[in-house]
Each structure stands twice: as structure tokens, then as C-alpha cells.
Amino acid sequence: MRSSRKRVVSLVPSLTEAVAVSAPGLLVGVTDWCTHPAPELAGVARIGGTKNPDVRAIAALRPDLVIANEEENRAPDLAQLRAAGVEVLVTEVRGLPQALRELDRVLVGALGLARPGWLADAESAWARVEPDAERRAFVPIWRRPWMVLGRDTFAGDLLARLGVRNVYAGHAERYPKVAVAELTAAGCDLVVLPDEPYRFTAEDGPEAFPGLPAALVSGRHLTWYGPSLVQAPAVLSRALREAG
């Protein structure tokens, strides 16, 4: 099946990768944060960030479709695009099953592509996951102030499938701000530190929680829903095991 959409703008790094891998050449505009796959994105117009896209520049590209996400992109920006006559598809991703359905909706439903093999491979990879013994953890995504994964998040769902129980999964907020003293006193077995959206490293993050094993994980494999899902179980499991 060939795509009926010839010009696509993506405002979501995950979806940018999914489209670029599945149908090279469709993308005419992407955000500054869209980094994968680099060869396919060379020469594609950059239209600002996920939170501050250049609406005029997007409209000038005359896209057949703009792909967005209800969490990563702001409703006023999407409303401006629609007012300019641009069709916008907004995805919602709160867990792995929903991510797989939304990828199918974008690639097959909206773009008219044949279902990509990597999507089936991702389903198979996660279906084979056997979680390790449960470990209690918190998952910072920012510091200054400290923010952690709360309820109903895609990353939290992936970690749960790998045996990591997020102690803030029942919090009223999806990304609560929590004082470091409270985090330290939470009685966890592990702190999981991704390298995005905040770039936690061995020198920036673990020192705030002395004595607590720290798993430094790939943010792309933890938070992106696209081709990276195929390798994510192995990549994340290895990082969690290495934390001890």
C-alpha cells in the first residue's frame, strides 16, 4: 500500500522516527528534538521545538498532515495550525498497548502504509519479556526542581513490565515535583535515571541519593514509542541489572 499523504510534519520525536523508518521521504518538517534516524532527517526542515513550533513555517511547508501528541505538544499551537487549514492528528500514549495502537493508527490508518515489520517485532519483543524480581524505585525526569514519573505514564508502564515498581505510580499527578529528602526517605531499592528529558549521567544525578543503586538508562528506549521499542526490553533490562 502506498501513502496517500505526500507531505508530513511531525512534532513528536518518537513519531518522527517511526515515519522516517517506515516511509523515508514523507517528512518535510520535524522539531529540533527529532534526532533519529539522522540520515533520513538530513535536509528536512526544522520547525522549532515540541512546545514552541513555528506555526507559520509549518503552514508554509503545505503539509498534508501534522502528527502531534497530547502530552508533548501544546493545544494552542495545534489550534493555530488547524485555523491555518492544516490537518492535525493528535495521539495519546499512556502505556505500551496504547502506543502500539497509536502507531498503527498513524502509520496504517492515517498514512496508508503497509504495517511495518518493526511494529510486529516490537510487539513480539515485549511479549517475551519476563520481569525480574520486583524492585521498588522512583524515576526522576528533571532536577531543579526534582520531578519524577507519577501515575499513568508510558515510561512507567515499560518499567513495570521489567519488574520495577514505581512508588509514585499512584500519585495524583503524572509528573509530580518531589523534594529530594522525600525521595531519599521513600525506602526504594533503586533510582532509575534516564538521559532525557533531563540528561542524567554518572556524574549528575546519582550523587543526590548516596547509598542507593542507580540505573542509568537510555531515555530514548524508555520514553520513545517507535522503532526503538524493538531493542528497548534488552537495553533497559541490561541497564537495570548493571545497577545491582
Side-chain angles (χ1 to χ4, degrees), residues 126 132 135 154-155 158-159 162 164 192 194 215-223 228-229 231-243:
W126 282 97
D132 293 332
R135 285 184 285 179
F154 172 72
L158 293 194
L159 288 172
L162 297 171
V164 176
V192 178
L216 295 165
V217 304
S218 162
R220 175 167 164 261
H221 290 93
L222 180 62
T223 65
S228 59
L229 282 171
Q231 295 83 28
V235 171
L236 296 174
S237 293
R238 182 167 59 250
L240 293 170
R241 287 194 301 269
E242 290 174 352

Side-chain angles (χ1 to χ4, degrees), residues 32-160:
D32 297 338
W33 301 107
C34 296
T35 56
H36 291 79
E40 284 80 356
L41 298 180
V44 176
R46 297 287 172 169
I47 46 75
T50 56
K51 304 296 185 187
N52 59 343
D54 187 332
V55 172
R56 287 187 178 181
I58 295 171
L61 290 170
R62 296 176 289 105
D64 298 309
L65 184 68
V66 170
I67 305 168
N69 176 264
E70 52 88 28
E71 179 177 67
E72 294 200 46
N73 308 120
R74 302 187 315 140
D77 296 322
L78 305 183
Q80 286 185 50
L81 286 168
R82 291 190 178 101
V86 177
E87 183 178 351
V88 180
L89 184 156
V90 182
T91 59
E92 178 184 277
V93 175
R94 303 292 178 90
L96 179 62
Q98 190 177 28
L100 296 170
R101 290 195 301 272
E102 289 287 66
L103 286 164
D104 198 279
R105 182 166 76 101
V106 170
L107 299 171
V108 180
L111 298 183
L113 303 174
R115 196 169 195 266
W118 64 258
L119 191 50
D121 291 343
E123 290 176 323
S124 297
W126 282 97
R128 294 193 299 269
V129 165
E130 295 184 4
D132 293 332
E134 183 178 277
R135 285 184 285 179
R136 290 164 45 88
F138 56 89
V139 189
I141 57 167
W142 204 258
R143 68 182 302 176
R144 307 182 193 95
W146 287 94
M147 298 174 66
V148 300
L149 293 183
R151 64 171 180 83
D152 197 22
T153 67
F154 172 72
D157 183 42
L158 293 194
L159 288 172

